[in-house]
């Protein structure tokens, strides 16, 4: 398969596929013209990486998961450890988003939203202090 076919079948843009090759996720063969030739194994890897990325795993986590996937002697505990750490990171991001929402909600409530220039939202942005909601 050429890169266009692999992109279509995997749902991953060609630019991203080239990047994944550059960072060593894939090693497609080349024909005499230098064009990439992808095997089913590369398509499967791309699908695997695409799914991992859609779950929010970063590149290094994907690299570790792919290595574990390819290691038939792996312990599932190693995979579970990566996933558990990722869930902790997601939970921290959720907590940060909730704090941002609460701060903005508090500031919006404090803002009269009328013709006067006073605005707690702008005051907060200019003084650098974080409002607690």
């Amino acid at each position: 398969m050429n890169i266009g076919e692999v992109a279509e079948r995997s749902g991953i843009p060609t630019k991203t596929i080239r990047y994944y090759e550059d960072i060593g996720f894939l090693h497609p063969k080349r024909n005499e013209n230098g064009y990439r030739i992808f095997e089913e194994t590369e398509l499967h890897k791309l699908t695997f990486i695409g799914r991992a990325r859609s779950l929010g795993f970063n590149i290094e986590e994907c690299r570790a998961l792919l290595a574990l996937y390819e290691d038939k002697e792996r312990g599932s505990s190693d995979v579970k450890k990566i996933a558990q750490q990722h869930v902790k990171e997601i939970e921290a991001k959720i907590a940060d988003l909730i704090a941002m929402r609460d701060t903005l909600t508090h500031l919006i409530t404090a803002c009269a939203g009328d013709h006067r220039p006073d605005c707690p939202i702008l005051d907060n942005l200019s003084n650098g202090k974080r409002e607690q909601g």
Side-chain angles (χ1 to χ4, degrees), residues 57-119:
F57 287 103
N58 65 35
I59 293 296
E60 289 311 310
E61 290 166 331
C62 287
R63 188 180 307 281
L65 289 169
L66 190 58
L68 287 166
Y69 175 76
E70 292 174 335
D71 177 6
K72 300 306 177 198
E73 302 296 316
R74 71 182 171 266
S76 64
S77 62
D78 296 331
V79 180
K80 186 174 182 176
K81 195 179 309 177
I82 293 169
Q84 287 173 321
Q85 181 58 40
H86 186 60
V87 167
K88 287 180 186 177
E89 292 167 9
I90 290 170
E91 289 170 346
K93 288 178 184 178
I94 291 169
D96 288 345
L97 287 169
I98 289 170
M100 283 190 276
R101 181 203 59 204
D102 292 349
T103 298
L104 282 170
T105 300
H106 173 75
L107 292 169
I108 289 166
T109 301
C111 182
D114 57 16
H115 66 281
R116 293 177 294 156
D118 313 359
C119 182

Side-chain angles (χ1 to χ4, degrees), residues 26-71:
L26 308 168
H27 304 285
K29 296 176 184 163
R30 300 276 182 157
N31 68 15
E32 59 277 354
N33 294 336
Y35 292 114
R36 293 166 184 85
I37 300 171
F38 293 89
E39 307 275 331
E40 286 293 325
T41 54
E42 279 95 11
L43 174 60
H44 185 74
K45 282 182 186 181
L46 280 170
T47 304
F48 180 96
I49 295 164
R51 179 72 179 129
R53 296 288 286 153
S54 75
L55 291 172
F57 287 103
N58 65 35
I59 293 296
E60 289 311 310
E61 290 166 331
C62 287
R63 188 180 307 281
L65 289 169
L66 190 58
L68 287 166
Y69 175 76
E70 292 174 335
D71 177 6

